[in-house]
Each structure stands twice: as C-alpha cells, then as structure tokens.
Amino acid sequence: MLRGLLIGLLTVALIGTGYWGYKEHQEKNAVLIHAENNYQRAFHDLTYQVDQLHDKIGETLAMNSRKSLSPALAEVWRITSEAHNDVGQLPLTLLPFNKTEEFLSNIGKFSYQTAVRDLNKDPLTDQEYETLKKLYKNAKDIQDELRNVQHLILKNNLRWMDVELALASGQKQMDNTIIDGFKTVEKNVEGYSETNFGPTATALQKPKKGFEQLTGKEISEQEAKQIAKRFAPKNVERVDVTTNGKGSNIQFYSITMHDKGNKHDVYMDITKKGGHLIYLLHNRDIKQQKISLNEASNRATEFLKKLKFKDLELYESAQYDNIGVFTFVSNYKGVRLYPDAVRLKVALDNGEIIGYSGRDYLAAHKKRNLPKPAITKEEAKKSVHSNVEIQEDRLAVVTNDAGEEVLCYEFLGTIDQDTYRIFINAMDGTEEKVEKLQSAEPLFREL
C-alpha cells in the first residue's frame, strides 16, 4: 500500500512538473511572439513611411505655389521623424545603419528649414530644387531596397527574432536575407552626396475626426452580430462582441468571427449608432488568381450596394499580388467628393471581400451646398506648374491643410514618367494640393 501511495505521489509530482514546464514554455513563447510582432510592425511601418517619403518629395517637384510648398515640406519632415522612430524599434543596434539614419535626418532638416522660411521673400533657389530632385531619386533607391526585403520576408516567412539572434551571436545563419538587405541599403546610402541643412524638430499630428454625421438608432450587441453576419463568409462560427472603451469619440462594437473553411478569423467594427460598418478584415491566404481586376471591381460595387451606398464611383484601383485594392468616392452632380471615400480589398482567387474601410466616409459624409466656381477652368490652369502636361480635368471637393473642404478644379497631369493629381481652388486659383499617383508595382529580385 505504501508503495502504491509513493507511486501516486510521484505521478502527481511528475504531472505537476510537466504542467509547470508547459506553462513556462507557453509564457516564453508569448514573449517571443510579442517581440516578433513588434519587430514586424516596425519594419512594415518603416517601409510604408519610406514609400510616403518618396511620394511627398515627388509632389513638391510639381508644386508651383509657395502656400502649398511649405506645408508639403512640413509633411516630409513629419514622415522622416516617424521613419526614424520605426528604425529605432528594429533589432539593428549591432548592425551599422547610421548612414541611412543620417540620410533621413538630412531630409528632415532640409524640409524643416525650407518650410519655416518665407518662400515669398526667399523662394527655392535652382540649387535647392536640384537638391529636392536628388533626394527624390535617393528616396526611390531606399524604397526599392526596403520593398524587396519586405517581399522576401513575406514570401519566405522570415522572422526578425532570427535576425536579433544572428546579430547578437555573430554566427553565420543559413538565411541572412534581412541582414543582407539592410546592408545593401546602408551601402547605397554611403554613395549619396552630403548637404548642409538647418535645424529639425518634432511635427504635430492632426486630431482624428469623429462620426458626428451618423444617422439611425443605437443598436444592441445582438443586432451588431446580425449585421456582421450579413457581410461575413457563410461558414463562420464563434461570434464574439466587445465594446470599445469609454472616452473615445467613436462608439462601436468590435466583432470577431472564426472562418471554419479557411481557418482564419474575420474582424469587424460596427458603430453603435445606426449599425454602420466601419472596418472589415478577413486575413486569409489568397490562392492563385482566377478573376480579373475588372470583375473584382464589380464584386466591390455589389458589396457597396449591400451597404446601401448611393452615388459612389470608382476612382482608383490597383493590384498587389493576388489582391485587388479599390477606392470609391461620392459624386454629387458631377463633382467628386474626395472626403467621402471608402476602400476595399478583393481576393482575386474567388472575388471575396477581404478588407473594407468606411471610416473616412462616415466621418465626412453630409449634405453640402456647393458654391459656383468664381474662376474658369482656363484661369485655374494658369496656376498649374508649367512642367505638368495636363491629361484630364474635373470639379472636385477636397480637404485642405486647415481641415476645411474647398471646391477645386482637379487636373490629372504628368511629368516625365510620373503622374500627379493637382487641385486648384475654384474660388481664388490657389494651389490647394498635389498628389503623386502610385506607379505599377516593381518586380523584385532574389538576394
């Protein structure tokens, strides 16, 4: 009997030890996953900021108005600050990356110094314009390298924790794709000419809008579930609903549903007032393309009809791997209302909506009394830079840097191989905004 008791105690002790080891292993894995997620987020944010940096510098080259140039350069300065922050969150302390950080700092200093001075009294010199063109080219080089590293990380499921271990140990790993990619970026930046620029500082963020224009009654959690199921795959299960925290300027329900077929979760945010869909994400694997981008745009249009949208028109579409990305805006009596924008992602393997954002539309949509233009289209064209070759034109409403909606003449034009959308105030001829349109996605090479 004593022997049986001892065996029982040893068995209990063994189970307890195994459970303790299992829990400790789980906690260790949780810490590693958290660190990996932070590294992945910082890297993809950095890649996005460099994309934005290249485009914003390009936009300044097409600007002809001092009023537009100053805030545009201030935006360049803000983006470089955020890119610096993202670099600082990557495990690169043991990898020389100071030249790239210095390059980002120089862009920030130049843009700040130029933005704060009176460009009417002291406009850009020819030398400074040439500096902008060089920075634009250099930013493109860095953009291409980072996008190539990003492509390989996603394609090969590479982990940043392996990079950290490789850098810390100094041992040669089987796949140093990430390290080699950043070394290539650093080597290329070393060849850029240095320029003396002015002081720098931290840019301010604009406050986000709430949904003051929402209509409809307040819905319950159960009603939010029913709304979510209308836009979810048919085989979802385990529908969980949570309410956002107090103090937010937007009250909404967050819904999580499990897709049994694809073994992925579907996420949605739905407003409490009116039950409007804010956000949808179905993060599943996309298989080989079977439908065209045009057919995908039709699927996106059908989805918007289910949401009971009216007077929306497609104004921008792009394909990234096997995903179609579409942006729709309101059209009121032939005038495009760019603040009223919705964005969708469509899987090109089966036409399913895997991403949706209606945040901008819900924040901006309202009844508008549009004024009549005070100047003609021909008068507005005189405010467009002479280097821009105009291809299309229309009336549109955009939001200016002060957060105010303004009626503009929209001109679509090109400089060399780049395409720009230029907005000229229809009341006084002011250059309100210049946007560089995205080019076709590059083909990436193997390192």
Side-chain angles (χ1 to χ4, degrees):
M1 182 172 178
L2 180 61
R3 181 182 178 185
L5 181 62
L6 287 173
I7 291 174
L9 290 173
L10 287 172
T11 301
V12 171
L14 182 62
I15 293 173
T17 303
Y19 179 75
W20 173 81
Y22 170 74
K23 292 294 290 182
E24 188 164 74
H25 177 70
Q26 269 194 325
E27 292 173 359
K28 181 180 178 181
N29 278 346
V31 171
L32 293 175
I33 291 171
H34 180 70
E36 178 65 21
N37 288 342
N38 283 339
Y39 289 150
Q40 292 284 357
R41 177 193 54 75
F43 172 70
H44 292 302
D45 282 353
L46 172 62
T47 306
Y48 172 77
Q49 296 300 343
V50 173
D51 284 350
Q52 292 292 298
L53 181 63
H54 174 250
D55 287 348
K56 288 297 178 183
I57 295 175
E59 289 171 9
T60 64
L61 297 176
M63 288 181 176
N64 196 37
S65 166
R66 309 306 176 194
K67 182 180 177 181
S68 296
L69 189 57
S70 289
L73 287 169
E75 182 71 358
V76 171
W77 166 39
R78 181 190 66 79
I79 292 170
T80 57
S81 177
E82 292 187 359
H84 261 296
N85 180 58
D86 293 326
V87 171
Q89 296 181 54
L90 293 173
L92 302 174
T93 53
L94 301 177
L95 176 67
F97 206 58
N98 57 302
K99 290 293 182 183
T100 304
E101 291 183 275
E102 183 181 351
F103 172 73
L104 292 173
S105 178
N106 284 344
I107 294 179
K109 290 175 182 178
F110 172 78
S111 58
Y112 175 79
Q113 183 187 40
T114 309
V116 299
R117 85 181 192 222
D118 189 342
L119 291 175
N120 287 318
K121 295 180 180 178
D122 188 14
L124 283 181
T125 64
D126 291 341
Q127 183 178 357
E128 287 173 325
Y129 190 80
E130 287 301 315
T131 298
L132 271 177
K133 291 174 69 175
K134 288 181 181 178
L135 293 177
Y136 179 65
K137 179 182 180 301
N138 295 342
K140 181 67 168 66
D141 294 339
I142 295 179
Q143 178 191 41
D144 288 347
E145 293 296 341
L146 288 178
R147 291 288 294 274
N148 189 55
V149 175
Q150 183 183 50
H151 163 72
L152 294 171
I153 287 175
L154 295 173
K155 177 184 177 182
N156 300 316
N157 294 318
L158 303 180
R159 300 194 318 157
W160 277 91
M161 291 302 298
D162 294 337
V163 174
E164 187 172 42
L165 292 172
L167 292 172
S169 65
Q171 298 176 356
K172 183 68 177 177
Q173 303 295 313
M174 291 182 63
D175 193 344
N176 274 337
T177 301
I178 298 177
I179 296 176
D180 292 342
F182 272 78
K183 284 182 178 179
T184 301
V185 173
E186 182 72 357
K187 183 178 179 181
N188 287 346
V189 173
E190 286 180 355
Y192 300 161
S193 59
E194 296 183 357
T195 311
N196 293 322
F197 299 133
T200 188
T202 303
L204 299 175
Q205 295 280 349
K206 291 184 180 179
K208 292 184 178 179
K209 290 183 178 180
F211 296 165
E212 291 84 3
Q213 313 295 333
L214 286 184
T215 58
K217 67 178 183 67
E218 189 159 312
I219 65 170
S220 65
E221 287 191 9
Q222 189 59 36
E223 288 173 315
K225 284 186 179 181
Q226 295 304 316
I227 292 172
K229 287 180 179 179
R230 288 172 49 204
F231 307 109
K234 294 180 180 179
N235 54 350
V236 294
E237 60 179 1
R238 285 203 333 260
V239 182
D240 298 318
V241 181
T242 58
T243 305
N244 70 309
K246 295 181 179 180
S248 172
N249 60 344
I250 304 169
Q251 297 299 310
F252 60 89
Y253 295 110
S254 290
I255 295 96
T256 302
M257 295 174 283
H258 186 67
D259 182 351
K260 291 187 294 185
N262 292 297
K263 298 181 180 180
H264 288 290
D265 286 335
V266 180
Y267 304 95
M268 294 188 198
D269 286 344
I270 295 175
T271 64
K272 287 186 178 180
K273 185 176 181 180
H276 302 282
L277 182 63
I278 307 172
Y279 176 80
L280 177 150
L281 176 64
H282 189 184
N283 190 23
R284 69 170 177 82
D285 294 330
I286 311 299
K287 299 177 182 178
Q288 186 175 1
Q289 179 176 351
K290 292 184 178 179
I291 68 173
S292 67
L293 194 64
N294 182 61
E295 186 177 348
S297 71
N298 293 334
R299 299 289 182 92
T301 301
E302 291 172 6
F303 184 82
L304 293 177
K305 288 180 180 178
K306 288 174 63 177
L307 287 169
K308 298 182 180 179
F309 279 112
K310 296 180 180 179
D311 300 323
L312 287 184
E313 69 174 32
L314 176 66
Y315 95 94
E316 192 171 62
S317 63
Q319 180 173 343
Y320 300 92
D321 294 328
N322 294 329
I323 297 174
V325 181
F326 307 94
T327 302
F328 291 78
V329 296
S330 292
N331 187 309
Y332 177 71
K333 295 183 178 180
V335 181
R336 278 188 179 175
L337 308 177
Y338 281 103
D340 295 5
V342 296
R343 297 170 180 84
L344 300 96
K345 289 184 178 181
V346 180
L348 299 181
D349 55 358
N350 63 3
E352 183 182 34
I353 306 299
I354 58 172
Y356 167 84
S357 175
R359 185 186 184 96
D360 289 344
Y361 184 94
L362 294 175
H365 184 64
K366 60 186 177 183
K367 289 185 178 179
R368 296 174 173 88
N369 294 317
L370 300 181
K372 292 184 178 180
I375 64 173
T376 66
K377 180 176 65 177
E378 294 303 319
E379 289 173 326
K381 281 184 178 180
K382 295 178 182 178
S383 296
V384 178
H385 198 291
S386 58
N387 289 343
V388 178
E389 185 176 344
I390 298 173
Q391 309 291 335
E392 297 178 16
D393 60 76
R394 64 175 59 86
L395 280 172
V397 170
V398 298
T399 304
N400 64 14
D401 294 313
E404 302 167 336
E405 291 189 358
V406 289
L407 179 66
C408 295
Y409 286 102
E410 174 189 349
F411 296 102
L412 194 69
T414 59
I415 300 179
D416 297 329
Q417 302 301 315
D418 294 321
T419 304
Y420 298 88
R421 185 178 282 119
I422 301 167
F423 298 93
I424 305 298
N425 192 305
M427 310 309 291
D428 59 15
T430 301
E431 184 181 67
E432 292 288 350
K433 187 175 293 188
V434 175
E435 296 176 353
K436 178 180 177 293
L437 301 188
Q438 295 292 330
S439 303
E441 287 292 288
L443 296 174
F444 299 104
R445 68 182 187 280
E446 301 291 334
L447 289 177

